[in-house]
Amino acid sequence: MAKVKVAAVGAGNRMNAYSEYACIHPEEVEIVAVVDPNDLRREHYRRRFGIPECNSYVAWEEFLGRPKQADALFLCTPDHLHYQPAMQALEKGYDILLEKPIARTWEECAAIVAKAKELNRIVGVCHVLRYHPYFVRFKEILESKVLGEIISVNHVEAVGIERMTHAFVRGLWRKEEETNPMILSKACHDLDLLVWLTGRKCTDVSSYGSLKWFCEKHAPDGSTERCIDGCLVEKECPFSACNLYLRRKRWLRHFDIPEGEAPEPYILRELKEGPYGRCVYRCDNDVVDHQVVAMQMEDGITVNFSMEGFTKEGGRKTHVMCSRGEIYGDEKNLTVRYFDARPDETYDFSAYYGECNFHGGADLSIVADFIQAVRTGNTAFLRTDIETSLESHRIAFEIEKQRKRITAR
């Protein structure tokens, strides 16, 4: 079958993962255009995929204003730039692999779905957890009914303190009006997972959460606007930007350091001038740093879900209690326990743990299915087509509505 020609719209961290599929399978996919306002990122993609200068665009409006250049888009723009590019791309005749979340409002999400149906276009949403080997096995065990019927679920999304301060205090997802509430921008993955594992829709929610700690009233004496500005407590602060980025060289993916160059000058510039150098207590963040959710699913299944910023490490822990046993795990190990005399079963998934291996291969698998769907015109190849993904977003919007209603009392 002919190669699927793809335009990379938004050349950041997630696009780097999905575009890797074109490097591994050049016989299936060809990246023919790149769109990103960052000069360094555009040039990187031009060199990596041999994209001509005429197919390199600063703005998505310019790209979509030209005649159709590809079969599909990998759309990985920032959250607030999903809706308009997606709608115009559908009108132009493109199929889309859309990074989550779909859009910033329920109305925008529904409009994209309606437009895709109207024009018979394929839209896949990047809920990669459905493709992760650990969660695939989790789902298979539940579907086999060896544990009977699902009764209840406890699920924890440990964001991890480094990711919390990097992304949701200093970084791109710190302000709801510029991106989304954290329950959508971070946890729509988890909500989709809970819907998928239980096989049920949600009928009711309640939620509590707030921005409790990362605000100016908790700034210690002697701290400064920036960690590098002579802060008297920087060396002992667990949230020091100097320690995280300069000394430990962590989370540099948003610093745009040219290949082959020493990172220190770019890190120092960021610490002195950029958003990542700010004191965590003196940022303009407003999203929550912790949140709990209670969900009532169809058939009386209850779910407790906790999104926690204050954990040493990131990761998910899931415990499903069933009528004939229980299953629980932490993405590294999965344990099945029966109520009868059968011995426990444990599965080791530690080799698949983390993001550095493309989420256990899930990033590449979702691209593989999307390419197959585009080639055949059949959305059945996608585990997360846009209509399926709507449920997690519906829940997220309702959760945030209820959290704000309770907080306002």
Side-chain angles (χ1 to χ4, degrees):
M1 299 177 72
K3 290 183 183 180
V4 174
K5 294 183 178 181
V6 171
V9 183
N13 178 58
R14 295 312 299 151
M15 183 66 76
N16 291 339
Y18 303 135
S19 64
E20 184 68 17
Y21 189 87
C23 297
I24 299 171
H25 296 287
E27 76 284 0
E28 294 183 24
V29 184
E30 182 182 2
I31 307 291
V32 298
V34 60
V35 184
D36 198 284
N38 185 291
D39 295 342
L40 192 66
R41 295 180 185 181
R42 287 199 318 279
E43 186 58 30
H44 169 72
Y45 270 74
R46 283 193 60 221
R47 293 196 311 269
R48 187 182 187 194
F49 296 106
I51 299 170
E53 176 66 33
C54 61
N55 286 354
S56 175
Y57 301 91
V58 173
W60 64 266
E61 295 94 337
E62 180 187 6
F63 167 72
L64 289 174
R66 300 287 178 86
K68 189 166 178 270
Q69 298 179 31
D71 304 301
L73 308 185
F74 291 172
L75 185 52
C76 297
T77 48
D79 292 7
H80 69 288
L81 293 177
H82 283 190
Y83 175 68
Q84 289 184 318
M87 293 292 280
Q88 290 191 29
L90 291 170
E91 289 278 8
K92 203 82 176 182
Y94 290 103
D95 295 320
I96 303 173
L97 183 63
L98 178 60
E99 179 55 25
K100 61 84 185 171
I102 296 169
R104 297 189 63 210
T105 68
W106 172 250
E107 291 74 19
E108 288 180 347
C109 292
I112 294 174
V113 172
K115 183 61 67 175
K117 290 180 71 173
E118 174 194 340
L119 300 174
N120 196 30
R121 299 259 57 91
I122 293 169
V123 181
V125 180
C126 297
H127 284 308
V128 296
L129 296 185
R130 293 196 188 206
Y131 287 82
H132 196 291
Y134 165 85
F135 288 114
V136 168
R137 186 65 181 130
F138 212 126
K139 174 69 169 174
E140 289 172 347
I141 292 168
L142 290 173
E143 281 196 330
S144 73
K145 299 295 185 180
V146 295
L147 293 173
E149 297 297 323
I150 298 173
I151 306 298
S152 62
V153 182
N154 284 328
H155 179 75
V156 176
E157 157 68 295
V159 178
I161 198 63
E162 287 186 6
R163 183 190 292 269
M164 183 70 216
T165 56
H166 173 75
F168 299 101
V169 178
R170 295 183 173 111
L172 297 176
W173 294 274
R174 68 187 183 273
K175 295 189 72 174
E176 180 178 339
E177 67 177 357
E178 294 178 2
T179 55
N180 278 301
M182 193 173 169
I183 198 71
L184 183 64
S185 62
K186 183 70 179 81
C188 68
H189 269 322
D190 300 86
L191 298 173
D192 178 74
L193 179 71
L194 291 166
V195 169
W196 183 55
L197 290 180
T198 62
R200 306 293 194 280
K201 290 186 176 182
C202 180
T203 60
D204 197 16
V205 298
S206 63
S207 181
Y208 298 87
S210 66
L211 173 58
K212 175 178 172 60
W213 190 249
F214 292 117
C215 42
E216 191 166 5
K217 69 180 181 180
H218 292 127
D221 292 339
S223 60
T224 52
E225 291 293 323
R226 290 183 172 272
C227 299
I228 204 169
D229 287 346
C231 174
L232 298 180
V233 295
E234 183 272 317
K235 288 289 186 354
E236 63 197 58
C237 178
F239 315 120
S240 163
C242 297
N243 184 52
L244 184 63
Y245 304 120
L246 185 60
R247 292 194 281 271
R248 296 175 56 211
K249 302 293 192 298
R250 297 275 292 160
W251 296 89
L252 302 183
R253 63 184 65 169
H254 294 119
F255 284 32
D256 293 315
I257 300 168
E259 282 184 69
E261 294 195 26
E264 285 78 8
Y266 298 91
I267 299 171
L268 285 169
R269 184 177 66 187
E270 181 67 36
L271 292 175
K272 293 175 182 177
E273 303 172 6
Y276 297 105
R278 295 176 297 175
C279 170
V280 291
Y281 301 106
R282 293 185 168 87
C283 294
D284 57 347
N285 56 305
D286 61 13
V287 299
V288 301
D289 52 24
H290 68 298
Q291 188 168 355
V292 295
V293 179
M295 300 165 59
Q296 176 78 48
M297 312 297 283
E298 294 172 326
D299 294 336
I301 297 172
T302 54
V303 175
N304 287 311
F305 168 43
S306 181
M307 180 176 67
E308 301 295 343
F310 294 86
T311 58
K312 181 74 172 179
E313 297 180 352
R316 293 173 171 89
K317 296 180 180 179
T318 311
H319 187 183
V320 181
M321 289 139 284
C322 303
S323 59
R324 301 181 65 181
E326 59 185 333
I327 178 172
Y328 56 88
D330 60 0
E331 295 189 77
K332 299 175 186 176
N333 293 287
L334 185 61
T335 299
V336 179
R337 302 188 72 184
Y338 300 98
F339 294 157
D340 57 27
R342 284 175 290 179
D344 294 354
E345 299 169 0
T346 300
Y347 304 88
D348 183 0
F349 288 93
S350 55
Y352 298 95
Y353 185 72
E355 291 186 46
C356 58
N357 58 7
F358 301 103
H359 286 104
D363 293 335
L364 304 179
S365 294
I366 199 170
V367 175
D369 275 7
F370 176 74
I371 296 303
Q372 188 73 345
V374 172
R375 278 178 154 181
T376 61
N378 187 355
T379 58
F381 285 100
L382 285 169
R383 296 178 199 172
T384 55
D385 65 273
I386 192 165
E387 289 193 67
T388 300
S389 300
L390 267 184
E391 177 66 5
S392 62
H393 287 61
R394 181 186 71 84
I395 298 169
F397 289 124
E398 184 62 24
I399 287 170
E400 193 62 7
K401 175 183 174 182
Q402 294 302 323
R403 183 191 71 82
K404 288 179 177 179
R405 180 185 64 81
I406 292 170
T407 302
R409 288 195 306 208

